[in-house]
Amino acid sequence: GQNIDQPTEMTATEGAIVQINCTYQTSGFNGLFWYQQHAGEAPTFLSYNVLDGLEEKGRFSSFLSRSKGYSYLLLKELQMKDSASYLCAVRSSLRGATNKLIFGTGTLLAVQP
Amino acid sequence: DAMVIQNPRYQVTQFGKPVTLSCSQTLNHNVMYWYQQKSSQAPKLLFHYYDKDFNNEADTPDNFQSRRPNTSFCFLDIRSPGLGDAAMYLCATRDPADTQYFGPGTRLTVL
């Protein structure tokens, strides 16, 4: 089966750092994606990890541990515009399913002044 | 420049009245997807195309159909919308590096 867990909501302060965790149990694993989704808008791609370790892209970093089925998204120097839902998505390596992403329900981040 | 375009952005239909949502892309990607996303839920994959090869998810109701007449365009047809079909419908494409790009979505209201 496929299962992806993220916290439902988080709150952080402008200028601070926040870490959003994601754990997954999937029948096959072929990469993990993070997307940002503002209310009423489409998800936008943030990062991709397929090997263990940290990928850094400006204020955003994403970490993956395949042995633990664990990833996190780290947001630094938080800005008010970072208030959004952050979706963790796993790409399955199952035969016939390599084109599919399985999404978590998202973590709604509220950045406060 | 918009790369994945969805029209309309907001669609209202009546219970049982067929409705078609459209998606177009300027990226020339082989793979296109349709997702359904209800409020505070994860996007749920309905089906995807690899070129003209159609792949239906096992739990996608027969009420949902899709057409892809060419690389650029893909349509979602809801034959008899029910109140439970009210949702945001997201179209996405996939690049050779396996990253998916989403359109702005169409929010469907069923009266």
Side-chain angles (χ1 to χ4, degrees), chain B residues 26-80:
Chain B
T26 60
L27 300 163
N28 206 36
H29 289 163
N30 292 333
V31 188
M32 293 186 76
Y33 304 82
W34 277 106
Y35 290 88
Q36 178 194 63
Q37 186 178 26
K38 297 186 178 181
S39 181
S40 301
Q41 295 185 20
K44 178 181 178 300
L45 183 64
L46 296 174
F47 21 63
H48 74 274
Y49 280 92
Y50 193 102
D51 290 326
K52 284 192 173 293
D53 291 336
F54 176 72
N55 298 271
N56 198 37
E57 292 300 296
D59 58 354
T60 298
D62 291 339
N63 195 28
F64 292 86
Q65 303 287 320
S66 184
R67 295 170 284 136
R68 190 179 186 187
N70 53 54
T71 301
S72 300
F73 286 88
C74 195
F75 300 97
L76 171 62
D77 301 307
I78 309 176
R79 294 194 295 189
S80 182

Side-chain angles (χ1 to χ4, degrees), chain A residues 4-106:
Chain A
I4 299 174
D5 289 314
Q6 306 178 235
T8 305
E9 297 180 353
M10 296 183 72
T11 301
T13 304
E14 192 175 15
I17 299 172
V18 71
Q19 177 174 312
I20 302 174
N21 296 324
C22 172
T23 58
Y24 61 90
Q25 298 95 36
T26 58
S27 301
F29 176 84
N30 194 23
L32 187 143
F33 294 77
W34 283 95
Y35 281 82
Q36 180 191 62
Q37 187 175 27
H38 286 99
E41 297 182 13
T44 56
F45 170 75
L46 288 179
S47 70
Y48 168 61
N49 295 71
V50 67
L51 299 175
D52 290 352
L54 189 69
E55 294 283 342
E56 297 187 76
K57 189 184 290 187
R59 294 190 299 114
F60 296 80
S61 303
S62 57
F63 172 83
L64 176 67
S65 169
R66 288 172 296 171
S67 62
K68 295 181 180 178
Y70 168 69
S71 174
Y72 67 72
L73 179 69
L74 194 70
L75 293 77
K76 302 176 186 175
E77 300 170 16
L78 280 172
Q79 302 175 10
M80 298 299 290
K81 68 178 182 179
D82 297 329
S83 294
S85 186
Y86 291 86
L87 301 167
C88 173
V90 171
R91 184 172 63 201
S92 172
S93 63
L94 292 175
R95 182 177 179 176
T98 53
N99 292 328
K100 300 200 310 187
L101 287 182
I102 299 157
F103 284 87
T105 55

